[in-house]
Amino acid sequence: MARMTTAERRGYQMICGDEGAMMVIACDQRGGMRTLLAATPEDQAKIGTDILGDTKIDIAAHLARHATAVLVDPLCALPQMIDDGHLHRSTALLIGLDDSGYDTTPEGWRISKLVPGITARRVRELGGTGGKIMVYLRSDTPAANFRNLQTLEHVIQDFASEDLLLVTEFLTYALPGEDKAAFAAATPGLIEGGTRLCLDLGAKLLKIPYPGTPEACANITAMAGEVPWAVLSAGVDHATFLGQVETAMANGASGVIAGRSLWKDCISLDRAVTRDRLATIAVPRLRELQAVIARHMPRP
């Protein structure tokens, strides 16, 4: 397995808490955030990057302030999040490289996209502690992954050349016409297979979907070796996610990089409402997650 350099290790330490685990607030969504802020496609289209930026700034200032780090995209809230003093000095910053949405091949394979012009050097210029790349993978269908693995390999090499921390994320997906029950049954194996693909390309820090079972979590931990992995929330409800995190942490996960399960019912076009809900709903949820994580981390 690829090992972190000293500089990458320092970046990793900065996105972890005192107990050595990640508790990162993800708010790099764009299209998904618009669907939460407005009900119809017409109203969603009226939500510009300025409104998204304000929402992300509020999440950073009023929720991520109580976590270890925040993950944002490079388009909506940067550099003003830093330049205008909204990001607390103790909150580390991860910057996402992946663009919103994906392209689709005639076979129904998803092709990941990157935000133009966002390189490791640009992440550093924007004040990032590190970057994050997300690709779609179907580990049982090699031809579906060729272009995405090319993208991932290029990004991993770019960040290595800058000696900058990179979080590697992948999502899996159902193929056209695939039975829902069959896909659900295959998901633990697909997540294990996707993890292997990322590790083989040199990923040093993983953000992955909940693997589905304690056995799959343990398998990923054994496969990853010294490579830490964080579980993402995929927008499930908070109670469900707490149970997933409990299982993941009990079987070797190193923390959480999560967003919608914490704040999806807290954001509003009224910023006063957003700030109030973040404080009264999202922060208590965060505290519950932190308690789960702390139970499974060795005391410093």
Side-chain angles (χ1 to χ4, degrees), residues 4-17 22 24 68-69 91-94 124 128-131 163-167 205:
M4 291 184 192
T5 66
T6 299
E8 291 167 338
R9 177 67 59 183
R10 182 59 175 160
Y12 177 61
Q13 291 170 347
M14 292 172 69
I15 69 168
C16 291
M22 293 171 278
V24 182
T68 60
T91 308
L93 173 64
L94 294 174
R124 193 186 296 280
T129 310
D163 207 4
L164 188 64
L165 182 70
L166 177 68
V167 178
L205 176 56

mmCIF file of all heavy atoms in Angstrom, residues 4-17 22 24 68-69 91-94 124 128-131 163-167 205:
data_model
loop_
_atom_site.group_PDB
_atom_site.id
_atom_site.type_symbol
_atom_site.label_atom_id
_atom_site.label_comp_id
_atom_site.label_asym_id
_atom_site.label_seq_id
_atom_site.Cartn_x
_atom_site.Cartn_y
_atom_site.Cartn_z
ATOM 1 N N MET A 4 1.725 7.571 3.316
ATOM 2 C CA MET A 4 1.734 9.025 3.300
ATOM 3 C C MET A 4 3.148 9.547 3.517
ATOM 4 O O MET A 4 3.917 8.987 4.295
ATOM 5 C CB MET A 4 0.830 9.586 4.402
ATOM 6 C CG MET A 4 -0.642 9.360 4.204
ATOM 7 S SD MET A 4 -1.586 10.187 5.522
ATOM 8 C CE MET A 4 -3.211 9.480 5.257
ATOM 9 N N THR A 5 3.476 10.628 2.831
ATOM 10 C CA THR A 5 4.707 11.347 3.115
ATOM 11 C C THR A 5 4.530 12.141 4.405
ATOM 12 O O THR A 5 3.427 12.237 4.959
ATOM 13 C CB THR A 5 5.052 12.299 1.978
ATOM 14 O OG1 THR A 5 4.033 13.325 1.921
ATOM 15 C CG2 THR A 5 5.122 11.579 0.635
ATOM 16 N N THR A 6 5.599 12.739 4.863
ATOM 17 C CA THR A 6 5.511 13.564 6.068
ATOM 18 C C THR A 6 4.514 14.706 5.882
ATOM 19 O O THR A 6 3.689 14.980 6.767
ATOM 20 C CB THR A 6 6.901 14.127 6.419
ATOM 21 O OG1 THR A 6 7.792 13.047 6.671
ATOM 22 C CG2 THR A 6 6.831 15.037 7.647
ATOM 23 N N ALA A 7 4.558 15.366 4.719
ATOM 24 C CA ALA A 7 3.645 16.480 4.470
ATOM 25 C C ALA A 7 2.201 16.004 4.397
ATOM 26 O O ALA A 7 1.284 16.650 4.937
ATOM 27 C CB ALA A 7 4.036 17.203 3.179
ATOM 28 N N GLU A 8 1.975 14.883 3.738
ATOM 29 C CA GLU A 8 0.619 14.331 3.661
ATOM 30 C C GLU A 8 0.137 13.905 5.048
ATOM 31 O O GLU A 8 -1.033 14.129 5.408
ATOM 32 C CB GLU A 8 0.603 13.139 2.705
ATOM 33 C CG GLU A 8 0.810 13.520 1.250
ATOM 34 C CD GLU A 8 1.115 12.323 0.371
ATOM 35 O OE1 GLU A 8 1.573 11.271 0.893
ATOM 36 O OE2 GLU A 8 0.911 12.421 -0.849
ATOM 37 N N ARG A 9 1.022 13.307 5.814
ATOM 38 C CA ARG A 9 0.661 12.899 7.168
ATOM 39 C C ARG A 9 0.268 14.099 8.017
ATOM 40 O O ARG A 9 -0.678 14.044 8.800
ATOM 41 C CB ARG A 9 1.845 12.163 7.817
ATOM 42 C CG ARG A 9 1.652 11.746 9.256
ATOM 43 C CD ARG A 9 0.588 10.687 9.423
ATOM 44 N NE ARG A 9 0.900 9.477 8.670
ATOM 45 C CZ ARG A 9 0.092 8.420 8.614
ATOM 46 N NH1 ARG A 9 -1.069 8.442 9.266
ATOM 47 N NH2 ARG A 9 0.415 7.362 7.903
ATOM 48 N N ARG A 10 0.985 15.199 7.846
ATOM 49 C CA ARG A 10 0.638 16.408 8.592
ATOM 50 C C ARG A 10 -0.740 16.908 8.174
ATOM 51 O O ARG A 10 -1.542 17.312 9.034
ATOM 52 C CB ARG A 10 1.701 17.490 8.365
ATOM 53 C CG ARG A 10 1.452 18.772 9.140
ATOM 54 C CD ARG A 10 1.388 18.515 10.636
ATOM 55 N NE ARG A 10 1.257 19.745 11.386
ATOM 56 C CZ ARG A 10 0.795 19.802 12.630
ATOM 57 N NH1 ARG A 10 0.425 18.703 13.263
ATOM 58 N NH2 ARG A 10 0.710 20.959 13.254
ATOM 59 N N GLY A 11 -1.029 16.875 6.884
ATOM 60 C CA GLY A 11 -2.355 17.262 6.432
ATOM 61 C C GLY A 11 -3.431 16.362 7.011
ATOM 62 O O GLY A 11 -4.507 16.826 7.417
ATOM 63 N N TYR A 12 -3.151 15.068 7.060
ATOM 64 C CA TYR A 12 -4.109 14.128 7.641
ATOM 65 C C TYR A 12 -4.335 14.426 9.116
ATOM 66 O O TYR A 12 -5.478 14.411 9.603
ATOM 67 C CB TYR A 12 -3.606 12.701 7.451
ATOM 68 C CG TYR A 12 -4.487 11.657 8.070
ATOM 69 C CD1 TYR A 12 -5.815 11.497 7.666
ATOM 70 C CD2 TYR A 12 -4.011 10.820 9.081
ATOM 71 C CE1 TYR A 12 -6.632 10.535 8.243
ATOM 72 C CE2 TYR A 12 -4.814 9.859 9.666
ATOM 73 C CZ TYR A 12 -6.130 9.722 9.237
ATOM 74 O OH TYR A 12 -6.948 8.775 9.808
ATOM 75 N N GLN A 13 -3.276 14.705 9.850
ATOM 76 C CA GLN A 13 -3.434 15.056 11.255
ATOM 77 C C GLN A 13 -4.345 16.261 11.433
ATOM 78 O O GLN A 13 -5.129 16.333 12.389
ATOM 79 C CB GLN A 13 -2.062 15.340 11.877
ATOM 80 C CG GLN A 13 -1.163 14.133 12.022
ATOM 81 C CD GLN A 13 0.259 14.501 12.418
ATOM 82 O OE1 GLN A 13 0.647 15.668 12.355
ATOM 83 N NE2 GLN A 13 1.029 13.513 12.843
ATOM 84 N N MET A 14 -4.267 17.200 10.496
ATOM 85 C CA MET A 14 -5.053 18.426 10.613
ATOM 86 C C MET A 14 -6.536 18.204 10.353
ATOM 87 O O MET A 14 -7.374 18.987 10.820
ATOM 88 C CB MET A 14 -4.489 19.488 9.665
ATOM 89 C CG MET A 14 -3.102 19.980 10.067
ATOM 90 S SD MET A 14 -2.347 21.067 8.831
ATOM 91 C CE MET A 14 -3.406 22.516 8.974
ATOM 92 N N ILE A 15 -6.899 17.153 9.609
ATOM 93 C CA ILE A 15 -8.330 16.885 9.391
ATOM 94 C C ILE A 15 -8.877 15.893 10.415
ATOM 95 O O ILE A 15 -10.040 15.494 10.329
ATOM 96 C CB ILE A 15 -8.627 16.410 7.959
ATOM 97 C CG1 ILE A 15 -8.055 15.009 7.698
ATOM 98 C CG2 ILE A 15 -8.101 17.415 6.936
ATOM 99 C CD1 ILE A 15 -8.555 14.385 6.405
ATOM 100 N N CYS A 16 -8.039 15.504 11.374
ATOM 101 C CA CYS A 16 -8.461 14.614 12.454
ATOM 102 C C CYS A 16 -8.574 15.385 13.763
ATOM 103 O O CYS A 16 -7.976 16.446 13.935
ATOM 104 C CB CYS A 16 -7.458 13.471 12.633
ATOM 105 S SG CYS A 16 -7.436 12.282 11.274
ATOM 106 N N GLY A 17 -9.334 14.833 14.682
ATOM 107 C CA GLY A 17 -9.464 15.429 16.002
ATOM 108 C C GLY A 17 -8.396 14.927 16.951
ATOM 109 O O GLY A 17 -7.494 14.174 16.575
ATOM 110 N N MET A 22 -11.148 11.240 11.839
ATOM 111 C CA MET A 22 -11.754 12.272 10.995
ATOM 112 C C MET A 22 -13.213 12.501 11.381
ATOM 113 O O MET A 22 -13.962 11.552 11.598
ATOM 114 C CB MET A 22 -11.709 11.833 9.524
ATOM 115 C CG MET A 22 -10.334 11.760 8.925
ATOM 116 S SD MET A 22 -10.340 10.990 7.263
ATOM 117 C CE MET A 22 -10.355 9.239 7.713
ATOM 118 N N VAL A 24 -15.272 15.097 9.369
ATOM 119 C CA VAL A 24 -15.260 16.143 8.344
ATOM 120 C C VAL A 24 -16.682 16.395 7.858
ATOM 121 O O VAL A 24 -17.422 15.452 7.555
ATOM 122 C CB VAL A 24 -14.361 15.732 7.159
ATOM 123 C CG1 VAL A 24 -14.315 16.835 6.112
ATOM 124 C CG2 VAL A 24 -12.953 15.387 7.642
ATOM 125 N N THR A 68 -13.794 18.649 12.629
ATOM 126 C CA THR A 68 -12.355 18.752 12.406
ATOM 127 C C THR A 68 -12.018 19.476 11.115
ATOM 128 O O THR A 68 -10.947 20.083 11.005
ATOM 129 C CB THR A 68 -11.708 17.360 12.371
ATOM 130 O OG1 THR A 68 -12.286 16.590 11.299
ATOM 131 C CG2 THR A 68 -11.924 16.635 13.686
ATOM 132 N N ALA A 69 -12.914 19.406 10.132
ATOM 133 C CA ALA A 69 -12.620 19.980 8.825
ATOM 134 C C ALA A 69 -13.917 20.145 8.053
ATOM 135 O O ALA A 69 -14.967 19.594 8.420
ATOM 136 C CB ALA A 69 -11.657 19.084 8.035
ATOM 137 N N THR A 91 -10.294 24.958 11.832
ATOM 138 C CA THR A 91 -11.039 24.090 10.927
ATOM 139 C C THR A 91 -10.228 23.865 9.656
ATOM 140 O O THR A 91 -9.961 24.806 8.904
ATOM 141 C CB THR A 91 -12.402 24.701 10.554
ATOM 142 O OG1 THR A 91 -13.110 25.061 11.747
ATOM 143 C CG2 THR A 91 -13.229 23.715 9.751
ATOM 144 N N ALA A 92 -9.821 22.632 9.419
ATOM 145 C CA ALA A 92 -9.069 22.310 8.209
ATOM 146 C C ALA A 92 -9.996 22.366 7.003
ATOM 147 O O ALA A 92 -11.225 22.299 7.122
ATOM 148 C CB ALA A 92 -8.425 20.941 8.339
ATOM 149 N N LEU A 93 -9.394 22.479 5.815
ATOM 150 C CA LEU A 93 -10.165 22.679 4.585
ATOM 151 C C LEU A 93 -9.766 21.649 3.533
ATOM 152 O O LEU A 93 -8.604 21.576 3.132
ATOM 153 C CB LEU A 93 -9.923 24.093 4.043
ATOM 154 C CG LEU A 93 -10.517 24.413 2.661
ATOM 155 C CD1 LEU A 93 -12.042 24.334 2.698
ATOM 156 C CD2 LEU A 93 -10.052 25.797 2.196
ATOM 157 N N LEU A 94 -10.732 20.849 3.101
ATOM 158 C CA LEU A 94 -10.577 19.978 1.947
ATOM 159 C C LEU A 94 -11.358 20.577 0.781
ATOM 160 O O LEU A 94 -12.481 21.073 0.975
ATOM 161 C CB LEU A 94 -11.101 18.570 2.246
ATOM 162 C CG LEU A 94 -10.336 17.761 3.296
ATOM 163 C CD1 LEU A 94 -11.060 16.456 3.587
ATOM 164 C CD2 LEU A 94 -8.909 17.484 2.833
ATOM 165 N N ARG A 124 -3.832 24.244 -3.254
ATOM 166 C CA ARG A 124 -2.923 24.867 -2.306
ATOM 167 C C ARG A 124 -3.106 26.384 -2.300
ATOM 168 O O ARG A 124 -3.132 27.034 -1.239
ATOM 169 C CB ARG A 124 -1.477 24.504 -2.650
ATOM 170 C CG ARG A 124 -0.478 24.840 -1.545
ATOM 171 C CD ARG A 124 0.949 24.583 -2.003
ATOM 172 N NE ARG A 124 1.226 23.194 -2.284
ATOM 173 C CZ ARG A 124 1.497 22.275 -1.361
ATOM 174 N NH1 ARG A 124 1.509 22.618 -0.087
ATOM 175 N NH2 ARG A 124 1.776 21.031 -1.695
ATOM 176 N N GLY A 128 -6.255 25.190 0.719
ATOM 177 C CA GLY A 128 -6.673 23.860 1.096
ATOM 178 C C GLY A 128 -5.635 23.096 1.894
ATOM 179 O O GLY A 128 -4.443 23.136 1.590
ATOM 180 N N THR A 129 -6.111 22.390 2.910
ATOM 181 C CA THR A 129 -5.275 21.431 3.626
ATOM 182 C C THR A 129 -5.018 20.220 2.742
ATOM 183 O O THR A 129 -4.005 19.533 2.876
ATOM 184 C CB THR A 129 -5.980 20.988 4.918
ATOM 185 O OG1 THR A 129 -6.414 22.140 5.651
ATOM 186 C CG2 THR A 129 -5.081 20.137 5.796
ATOM 187 N N GLY A 130 -5.948 19.954 1.848
ATOM 188 C CA GLY A 130 -5.850 18.843 0.913
ATOM 189 C C GLY A 130 -6.993 18.902 -0.069
ATOM 190 O O GLY A 130 -7.837 19.805 -0.025
ATOM 191 N N GLY A 131 -7.029 17.927 -0.971
ATOM 192 C CA GLY A 131 -8.078 17.858 -1.972
ATOM 193 C C GLY A 131 -8.881 16.579 -1.835
ATOM 194 O O GLY A 131 -8.541 15.681 -1.050
ATOM 195 N N ASP A 163 3.056 17.013 -3.227
ATOM 196 C CA ASP A 163 3.165 16.526 -1.848
ATOM 197 C C ASP A 163 2.015 17.054 -0.994
ATOM 198 O O ASP A 163 2.214 17.562 0.122
ATOM 199 C CB ASP A 163 4.508 16.915 -1.239
ATOM 200 C CG ASP A 163 4.955 15.948 -0.141
ATOM 201 O OD1 ASP A 163 4.252 14.946 0.088
ATOM 202 O OD2 ASP A 163 5.988 16.206 0.496
ATOM 203 N N LEU A 164 0.794 16.926 -1.536
ATOM 204 C CA LEU A 164 -0.401 17.464 -0.888
ATOM 205 C C LEU A 164 -1.387 16.328 -0.638
ATOM 206 O O LEU A 164 -1.589 15.458 -1.496
ATOM 207 C CB LEU A 164 -1.036 18.532 -1.777
ATOM 208 C CG LEU A 164 -2.199 19.336 -1.186
ATOM 209 C CD1 LEU A 164 -1.735 20.164 0.008
ATOM 210 C CD2 LEU A 164 -2.792 20.267 -2.261
ATOM 211 N N LEU A 165 -2.012 16.353 0.515
ATOM 212 C CA LEU A 165 -2.968 15.310 0.903
ATOM 213 C C LEU A 165 -4.119 15.225 -0.101
ATOM 214 O O LEU A 165 -4.668 16.245 -0.516
ATOM 215 C CB LEU A 165 -3.526 15.628 2.292
ATOM 216 C CG LEU A 165 -4.517 14.612 2.874
ATOM 217 C CD1 LEU A 165 -3.807 13.322 3.247
ATOM 218 C CD2 LEU A 165 -5.227 15.209 4.092
ATOM 219 N N LEU A 166 -4.505 13.999 -0.460
ATOM 220 C CA LEU A 166 -5.637 13.766 -1.346
ATOM 221 C C LEU A 166 -6.536 12.698 -0.746
ATOM 222 O O LEU A 166 -6.078 11.609 -0.405
ATOM 223 C CB LEU A 166 -5.165 13.315 -2.735
ATOM 224 C CG LEU A 166 -6.286 12.971 -3.724
ATOM 225 C CD1 LEU A 166 -7.065 14.226 -4.119
ATOM 226 C CD2 LEU A 166 -5.732 12.263 -4.955
ATOM 227 N N VAL A 167 -7.825 13.014 -0.642
ATOM 228 C CA VAL A 167 -8.844 12.036 -0.269
ATOM 229 C C VAL A 167 -9.411 11.435 -1.551
ATOM 230 O O VAL A 167 -9.867 12.167 -2.439
ATOM 231 C CB VAL A 167 -9.971 12.683 0.551
ATOM 232 C CG1 VAL A 167 -11.054 11.647 0.878
ATOM 233 C CG2 VAL A 167 -9.429 13.321 1.814
ATOM 234 N N LEU A 205 -5.710 7.778 1.266
ATOM 235 C CA LEU A 205 -6.780 8.107 2.205
ATOM 236 C C LEU A 205 -8.090 7.947 1.460
ATOM 237 O O LEU A 205 -8.264 8.525 0.383
ATOM 238 C CB LEU A 205 -6.620 9.544 2.714
ATOM 239 C CG LEU A 205 -7.706 10.107 3.635
ATOM 240 C CD1 LEU A 205 -7.913 9.228 4.853
ATOM 241 C CD2 LEU A 205 -7.342 11.531 4.062
#
